[in-house]
Amino acid sequence: MELRQLRQFVVLAETLNFHRAAERLHMAQPPLSTAMRKLEEELGIVLFDRDPRGLKLTVAGGIALAHARHTLQGAEELRRAATECATGEQGRLTLGFAGTSSFSLLPRLIPLFQARFPRVELVLRESTTRALIDALAEHTVDVALLRTPVFEPCAAELLELERDRFVLAVHPDHPLAQRASVAMAELGDLPWIQYSRLLVPAMHALVQMAFRHAGIAPKVVQEMVQVPTAVGLVESGIGVALVPSVTARYALTSVRLLPIDDLPALLDIGIALAHHPAVATGPTQRFVETARAMLDSAAH
């Protein structure tokens, strides 16, 4: 049994006339008659009562018609789904993201992508940059928003989406809270909250470079992984921390964020979109294109 036979059967059942059905199917009448006899033989039932007054569906033919239409509809949905998946209009996209990207990038990028491709199922996974690089290599995420600079070996293609700088987070009641800005060189005696060297080695290394550049050897009182955790610890009065300036979208009035006067440009940070083009699915390609379009729109 072939889909072609089912289409022929449905058209004949709708017209109940071999001549008109053959015209609609753009074929000659004899091959249509032959195809229907073969279909009846294969099914082992009579689909049509044939008499001089014309064709009439049998009871079995009526039941077969409902199933034939359902089968053809399913085949069309399969074809459309396969096409949309190949073009990126349908499917599943797993997006990994480092925590701070949720402050500014995700609220802009996700609605834009979902408006363009509403039939793509989007799965979000929050993690660290180091873990996301591994997930990309293992293909457990399709794309990832990574904190840059990336110090770990990374074979993925990176598209920079956001540039940022470190600021100093202090408690609102801290003596420095009323300052317009600070210099790292004057902060050596403060208790510091530092990023975990094991879990977020890039952020840890950048802060250590800031310490060395300022010539200070600060006392680290607590390690953490995520920027929101650092903000919470600062708010608790445990110490101060260097956090991305975009944190202001999250911190609001819970902490004071102070610009730092003497940080070199080499300590600039940001967020990049990472993916492997060689194994990119349709939805992955569309997501990267959406990110590029967002960048182009912001540039203009």
Side-chain angles (χ1 to χ4, degrees), residues 158-283:
L158 300 180
L159 172 65
E160 186 177 64
L161 299 181
E162 180 179 87
R163 294 188 66 81
D164 201 355
R165 289 183 64 80
F166 279 121
V167 293
L168 181 72
V170 301
H171 191 279
D173 295 333
H174 194 279
L176 294 175
Q178 303 309 313
R179 293 271 296 273
S181 64
V182 296
M184 284 292 296
E186 61 182 310
L187 306 177
D189 294 332
L190 299 180
W192 280 86
I193 301 163
Q194 168 64 307
Y195 298 93
S196 166
R197 180 171 57 184
L198 178 62
L199 299 178
V200 277
M203 292 288 277
H204 176 91
L206 286 170
V207 173
Q208 290 298 117
M209 290 170 62
F211 292 155
R212 287 196 295 271
H213 182 268
I216 62 176
K219 176 185 178 182
V220 175
V221 297
Q222 181 65 48
E223 285 196 344
M224 48 75 193
V225 175
Q226 300 288 5
V227 171
T229 303
V231 172
L233 294 176
V234 171
E235 186 179 7
S236 301
I238 292 177
V240 300
L242 291 184
V243 298
S245 67
V246 73
T247 305
R249 293 175 177 264
Y250 165 82
L252 299 177
T253 59
S254 63
V255 300
R256 279 277 287 138
L257 302 179
L258 306 177
I260 302 171
D261 297 327
D262 56 347
L263 278 184
L266 62 87
L267 294 181
D268 284 356
I269 52 180
I271 297 289
L273 178 65
H275 79 295
H276 290 287
V279 294
T281 63

Side-chain angles (χ1 to χ4, degrees), residues 111-133:
L112 183 60
F113 179 73
Q114 291 183 321
R116 290 183 169 197
F117 305 102
R119 293 170 66 87
V120 174
E121 178 188 1
L122 191 60
V123 179
L124 301 178
R125 293 184 182 174
E126 182 181 7
S127 191
T128 64
T129 290
R130 182 174 187 174
L132 289 172
I133 290 173

Side-chain angles (χ1 to χ4, degrees), residues 85-140:
C85 186
T87 60
E89 296 179 7
Q90 182 174 315
R92 180 185 177 100
L93 178 75
T94 302
L95 167 64
F97 66 97
T100 47
S101 62
S102 64
F103 297 155
S104 61
L105 276 177
L106 288 183
R108 289 184 286 137
L109 185 52
I110 288 180
L112 183 60
F113 179 73
Q114 291 183 321
R116 290 183 169 197
F117 305 102
R119 293 170 66 87
V120 174
E121 178 188 1
L122 191 60
V123 179
L124 301 178
R125 293 184 182 174
E126 182 181 7
S127 191
T128 64
T129 290
R130 182 174 187 174
L132 289 172
I133 290 173
D134 293 338
L136 283 166
E138 296 165 1
H139 309 303
T140 55

Side-chain angles (χ1 to χ4, degrees), residues 35-54:
M36 290 303 96
R37 283 197 299 270
K38 288 182 177 179
L39 181 60
E40 288 177 321
E41 291 173 0
E42 185 172 351
L43 294 175
I45 60 173
V46 176
L47 298 171
F48 298 97
D49 285 329
R50 300 165 175 83
D51 59 49
R53 292 174 296 178

Side-chain angles (χ1 to χ4, degrees), residues 16-18 46 48-58:
L16 294 176
N17 183 285
F18 274 104
V46 176
F48 298 97
D49 285 329
R50 300 165 175 83
D51 59 49
R53 292 174 296 178
L55 292 179
K56 182 179 179 181
L57 273 173
T58 63

